[in-house]
Structures are given as C-alpha cells and as structure tokens.
Amino acid sequence: MADGQVHENARAVVLFCIVGVIGAAIDFGTMHFLETSGANALIGRAISYILGSLFAYYGNSVVTFSGNRSTTEKLRAFIVYTACLIMAVLVNKLACIPLADFEHTVLLSWVISQATATTLNFILQSKWVFTSENTSR
C-alpha cells in the first residue's frame, strides 16, 4: 500500500471517528432522555440510533468520504444503517443480560452495542456506500 493511501485511510478513520463521536453523543443523549422519561428501552434505543445515524450519514458523506448523496448512495446507506440498527438493538439487549447487576447497565450496554455497530458501519460505508464510482473522489 502506498504512503498516500495509508495517509488517506488514516485521515478517513480520524474524520469518521470525529463525526461518529458527535453522532454518538446525539444517540446516547437521546436514548438516555427517552429511557429516563419512561420510554420502552428498545424503542428508545432504536429512535436514538436513527437520530445519531442521520447526523453521521450526512456528516460522513460531506466530511469523511466526499459522497455525492445520490439516490444509490442514500439507498446503500439506508441498507447499512438498517443492518447496523438491528445489530445495535440486538447487542444492546443481549449486553443488558450479564450487566443487569451493574450500576451503569445502560451506559455499558450502549457502549458495547455502539462499538459493534460502529465497526460494522465503517467497514460497510468505506467499502460499499462511498465507493469510488459513487463519490467525487
């Protein structure tokens, strides 16, 4: 791999993480608000993930991957975010089981589910959603 490609990949990871931290803050803040307001945990997690993902898609499309926000790109992003949403909700639910006796179950299960979904999300976005035929780069 050429030095330029390594630099470009590192740049994409850093920008993805910056956008992701902001999206994660939106996600966690929304989830925490909904759950402490009495919303069903699964519904709260789904709504919060959707809001964080909307921010992350547009942020990554503009900043990280220089996407063109075409119909194809949006459709692929929708498929990826749907798969990641399912992954996040299931992992969150499963993580709550062994963590039920911990003081910070909500936070810990969110971190585990978010890390899992974020890893899958980056791989799918960088390899499929924002491919060279779909972006301006």
Side-chain angles (χ1 to χ4, degrees), residues 86-109:
I86 292 166
M87 176 72 71
V89 171
L90 291 175
V91 170
N92 191 76
K93 181 70 174 172
L94 291 172
C96 285
I97 296 167
L99 298 172
D101 294 332
F102 285 85
E103 182 178 348
H104 301 289
T105 301
V106 171
L107 175 62
L108 293 172
S109 60

mmCIF file of all heavy atoms in Angstrom, residues 86-109:
data_model
loop_
_atom_site.group_PDB
_atom_site.id
_atom_site.type_symbol
_atom_site.label_atom_id
_atom_site.label_comp_id
_atom_site.label_asym_id
_atom_site.label_seq_id
_atom_site.Cartn_x
_atom_site.Cartn_y
_atom_site.Cartn_z
ATOM 1 N N ILE A 86 -30.197 -2.916 13.531
ATOM 2 C CA ILE A 86 -30.579 -4.238 14.037
ATOM 3 C C ILE A 86 -29.472 -4.793 14.930
ATOM 4 O O ILE A 86 -29.732 -5.297 16.027
ATOM 5 C CB ILE A 86 -30.913 -5.189 12.870
ATOM 6 C CG1 ILE A 86 -32.192 -4.718 12.166
ATOM 7 C CG2 ILE A 86 -31.041 -6.626 13.355
ATOM 8 C CD1 ILE A 86 -32.439 -5.356 10.813
ATOM 9 N N MET A 87 -28.233 -4.658 14.474
ATOM 10 C CA MET A 87 -27.087 -5.120 15.263
ATOM 11 C C MET A 87 -27.024 -4.381 16.599
ATOM 12 O O MET A 87 -26.850 -5.006 17.653
ATOM 13 C CB MET A 87 -25.793 -4.900 14.476
ATOM 14 C CG MET A 87 -24.547 -5.255 15.240
ATOM 15 S SD MET A 87 -24.324 -7.018 15.448
ATOM 16 C CE MET A 87 -23.913 -7.470 13.782
ATOM 17 N N ALA A 88 -27.175 -3.062 16.587
ATOM 18 C CA ALA A 88 -27.075 -2.268 17.814
ATOM 19 C C ALA A 88 -28.167 -2.636 18.817
ATOM 20 O O ALA A 88 -27.893 -2.788 20.014
ATOM 21 C CB ALA A 88 -27.144 -0.776 17.491
ATOM 22 N N VAL A 89 -29.391 -2.768 18.336
ATOM 23 C CA VAL A 89 -30.504 -3.079 19.231
ATOM 24 C C VAL A 89 -30.343 -4.480 19.827
ATOM 25 O O VAL A 89 -30.519 -4.674 21.041
ATOM 26 C CB VAL A 89 -31.861 -2.926 18.502
ATOM 27 C CG1 VAL A 89 -33.003 -3.454 19.348
ATOM 28 C CG2 VAL A 89 -32.105 -1.461 18.135
ATOM 29 N N LEU A 90 -29.976 -5.449 18.992
ATOM 30 C CA LEU A 90 -29.803 -6.820 19.498
ATOM 31 C C LEU A 90 -28.629 -6.920 20.473
ATOM 32 O O LEU A 90 -28.752 -7.542 21.532
ATOM 33 C CB LEU A 90 -29.611 -7.787 18.335
ATOM 34 C CG LEU A 90 -30.837 -8.026 17.455
ATOM 35 C CD1 LEU A 90 -30.480 -8.909 16.265
ATOM 36 C CD2 LEU A 90 -31.977 -8.622 18.252
ATOM 37 N N VAL A 91 -27.510 -6.313 20.119
ATOM 38 C CA VAL A 91 -26.351 -6.362 21.009
ATOM 39 C C VAL A 91 -26.656 -5.621 22.315
ATOM 40 O O VAL A 91 -26.291 -6.080 23.397
ATOM 41 C CB VAL A 91 -25.089 -5.798 20.316
ATOM 42 C CG1 VAL A 91 -23.940 -5.611 21.296
ATOM 43 C CG2 VAL A 91 -24.659 -6.711 19.174
ATOM 44 N N ASN A 92 -27.354 -4.500 22.225
ATOM 45 C CA ASN A 92 -27.725 -3.756 23.428
ATOM 46 C C ASN A 92 -28.583 -4.623 24.352
ATOM 47 O O ASN A 92 -28.352 -4.698 25.561
ATOM 48 C CB ASN A 92 -28.475 -2.478 23.041
ATOM 49 C CG ASN A 92 -28.655 -1.533 24.197
ATOM 50 O OD1 ASN A 92 -27.712 -0.849 24.586
ATOM 51 N ND2 ASN A 92 -29.847 -1.482 24.754
ATOM 52 N N LYS A 93 -29.566 -5.301 23.766
ATOM 53 C CA LYS A 93 -30.462 -6.167 24.550
ATOM 54 C C LYS A 93 -29.685 -7.328 25.173
ATOM 55 O O LYS A 93 -29.845 -7.629 26.363
ATOM 56 C CB LYS A 93 -31.581 -6.697 23.639
ATOM 57 C CG LYS A 93 -32.574 -7.585 24.335
ATOM 58 C CD LYS A 93 -33.426 -6.796 25.299
ATOM 59 C CE LYS A 93 -34.527 -7.673 25.875
ATOM 60 N NZ LYS A 93 -35.249 -7.002 26.942
ATOM 61 N N LEU A 94 -28.819 -7.957 24.384
ATOM 62 C CA LEU A 94 -28.031 -9.073 24.890
ATOM 63 C C LEU A 94 -27.021 -8.636 25.946
ATOM 64 O O LEU A 94 -26.778 -9.351 26.915
ATOM 65 C CB LEU A 94 -27.318 -9.785 23.742
ATOM 66 C CG LEU A 94 -28.223 -10.546 22.779
ATOM 67 C CD1 LEU A 94 -27.423 -11.051 21.581
ATOM 68 C CD2 LEU A 94 -28.921 -11.700 23.482
ATOM 69 N N ALA A 95 -26.438 -7.464 25.763
ATOM 70 C CA ALA A 95 -25.446 -6.967 26.729
ATOM 71 C C ALA A 95 -26.086 -6.637 28.068
ATOM 72 O O ALA A 95 -25.428 -6.730 29.114
ATOM 73 C CB ALA A 95 -24.732 -5.744 26.166
ATOM 74 N N CYS A 96 -27.350 -6.270 28.071
ATOM 75 C CA CYS A 96 -28.042 -5.948 29.323
ATOM 76 C C CYS A 96 -28.187 -7.159 30.241
ATOM 77 O O CYS A 96 -28.250 -7.005 31.459
ATOM 78 C CB CYS A 96 -29.424 -5.361 29.033
ATOM 79 S SG CYS A 96 -29.392 -3.665 28.458
ATOM 80 N N ILE A 97 -28.222 -8.338 29.666
ATOM 81 C CA ILE A 97 -28.441 -9.555 30.474
ATOM 82 C C ILE A 97 -27.308 -9.776 31.473
ATOM 83 O O ILE A 97 -27.557 -9.811 32.677
ATOM 84 C CB ILE A 97 -28.681 -10.781 29.567
ATOM 85 C CG1 ILE A 97 -29.971 -10.585 28.762
ATOM 86 C CG2 ILE A 97 -28.737 -12.064 30.389
ATOM 87 C CD1 ILE A 97 -30.146 -11.562 27.612
ATOM 88 N N PRO A 98 -26.047 -9.890 31.022
ATOM 89 C CA PRO A 98 -24.979 -10.116 32.004
ATOM 90 C C PRO A 98 -24.634 -8.865 32.816
ATOM 91 O O PRO A 98 -24.000 -8.956 33.869
ATOM 92 C CB PRO A 98 -23.789 -10.563 31.161
ATOM 93 C CG PRO A 98 -24.036 -9.988 29.813
ATOM 94 C CD PRO A 98 -25.537 -9.976 29.652
ATOM 95 N N LEU A 99 -25.062 -7.695 32.337
ATOM 96 C CA LEU A 99 -24.730 -6.444 33.025
ATOM 97 C C LEU A 99 -25.845 -5.963 33.953
ATOM 98 O O LEU A 99 -25.727 -4.883 34.538
ATOM 99 C CB LEU A 99 -24.433 -5.351 31.984
ATOM 100 C CG LEU A 99 -23.241 -5.604 31.060
ATOM 101 C CD1 LEU A 99 -23.189 -4.538 29.973
ATOM 102 C CD2 LEU A 99 -21.951 -5.648 31.853
ATOM 103 N N ALA A 100 -26.897 -6.737 34.106
ATOM 104 C CA ALA A 100 -28.078 -6.296 34.857
ATOM 105 C C ALA A 100 -27.770 -5.877 36.285
ATOM 106 O O ALA A 100 -28.429 -4.983 36.821
ATOM 107 C CB ALA A 100 -29.134 -7.397 34.857
ATOM 108 N N ASP A 101 -26.783 -6.468 36.909
ATOM 109 C CA ASP A 101 -26.467 -6.142 38.297
ATOM 110 C C ASP A 101 -25.470 -4.999 38.448
ATOM 111 O O ASP A 101 -25.156 -4.599 39.561
ATOM 112 C CB ASP A 101 -25.931 -7.387 39.020
ATOM 113 C CG ASP A 101 -27.009 -8.452 39.151
ATOM 114 O OD1 ASP A 101 -28.203 -8.088 39.204
ATOM 115 O OD2 ASP A 101 -26.646 -9.643 39.184
ATOM 116 N N PHE A 102 -24.965 -4.476 37.332
ATOM 117 C CA PHE A 102 -24.011 -3.379 37.397
ATOM 118 C C PHE A 102 -24.737 -2.047 37.554
ATOM 119 O O PHE A 102 -25.876 -1.890 37.101
ATOM 120 C CB PHE A 102 -23.140 -3.345 36.138
ATOM 121 C CG PHE A 102 -22.098 -4.420 36.101
ATOM 122 C CD1 PHE A 102 -22.404 -5.690 35.620
ATOM 123 C CD2 PHE A 102 -20.812 -4.173 36.551
ATOM 124 C CE1 PHE A 102 -21.455 -6.689 35.584
ATOM 125 C CE2 PHE A 102 -19.850 -5.160 36.510
ATOM 126 C CZ PHE A 102 -20.166 -6.418 36.031
ATOM 127 N N GLU A 103 -24.056 -1.108 38.172
ATOM 128 C CA GLU A 103 -24.658 0.207 38.427
ATOM 129 C C GLU A 103 -24.966 0.959 37.131
ATOM 130 O O GLU A 103 -25.958 1.655 37.038
ATOM 131 C CB GLU A 103 -23.707 1.039 39.302
ATOM 132 C CG GLU A 103 -24.266 2.392 39.659
ATOM 133 C CD GLU A 103 -23.330 3.172 40.567
ATOM 134 O OE1 GLU A 103 -22.372 2.598 41.097
ATOM 135 O OE2 GLU A 103 -23.566 4.373 40.712
ATOM 136 N N HIS A 104 -24.132 0.830 36.149
ATOM 137 C CA HIS A 104 -24.269 1.606 34.905
ATOM 138 C C HIS A 104 -24.629 0.709 33.719
ATOM 139 O O HIS A 104 -24.003 0.777 32.668
ATOM 140 C CB HIS A 104 -22.984 2.379 34.627
ATOM 141 C CG HIS A 104 -22.613 3.318 35.717
ATOM 142 N ND1 HIS A 104 -23.311 4.471 35.971
ATOM 143 C CD2 HIS A 104 -21.628 3.256 36.658
ATOM 144 C CE1 HIS A 104 -22.770 5.100 37.002
ATOM 145 N NE2 HIS A 104 -21.745 4.375 37.445
ATOM 146 N N THR A 105 -25.644 -0.104 33.882
ATOM 147 C CA THR A 105 -26.055 -1.053 32.845
ATOM 148 C C THR A 105 -26.367 -0.349 31.532
ATOM 149 O O THR A 105 -25.935 -0.800 30.466
ATOM 150 C CB THR A 105 -27.284 -1.861 33.312
ATOM 151 O OG1 THR A 105 -26.934 -2.551 34.500
ATOM 152 C CG2 THR A 105 -27.742 -2.845 32.262
ATOM 153 N N VAL A 106 -27.104 0.758 31.580
ATOM 154 C CA VAL A 106 -27.499 1.462 30.359
ATOM 155 C C VAL A 106 -26.266 1.946 29.610
ATOM 156 O O VAL A 106 -26.130 1.743 28.402
ATOM 157 C CB VAL A 106 -28.453 2.637 30.670
ATOM 158 C CG1 VAL A 106 -28.700 3.498 29.444
ATOM 159 C CG2 VAL A 106 -29.776 2.106 31.210
ATOM 160 N N LEU A 107 -25.344 2.570 30.311
ATOM 161 C CA LEU A 107 -24.136 3.088 29.674
ATOM 162 C C LEU A 107 -23.283 1.950 29.113
ATOM 163 O O LEU A 107 -22.847 1.995 27.961
ATOM 164 C CB LEU A 107 -23.306 3.909 30.666
ATOM 165 C CG LEU A 107 -21.950 4.396 30.146
ATOM 166 C CD1 LEU A 107 -22.122 5.318 28.958
ATOM 167 C CD2 LEU A 107 -21.174 5.080 31.262
ATOM 168 N N LEU A 108 -23.047 0.920 29.897
ATOM 169 C CA LEU A 108 -22.192 -0.179 29.454
ATOM 170 C C LEU A 108 -22.781 -0.917 28.258
ATOM 171 O O LEU A 108 -22.073 -1.226 27.298
ATOM 172 C CB LEU A 108 -21.935 -1.142 30.611
ATOM 173 C CG LEU A 108 -21.101 -0.601 31.765
ATOM 174 C CD1 LEU A 108 -21.083 -1.593 32.925
ATOM 175 C CD2 LEU A 108 -19.689 -0.274 31.313
ATOM 176 N N SER A 109 -24.072 -1.189 28.299
ATOM 177 C CA SER A 109 -24.692 -1.893 27.176
ATOM 178 C C SER A 109 -24.701 -1.021 25.926
ATOM 179 O O SER A 109 -24.514 -1.515 24.809
ATOM 180 C CB SER A 109 -26.105 -2.362 27.524
ATOM 181 O OG SER A 109 -26.930 -1.273 27.847
#
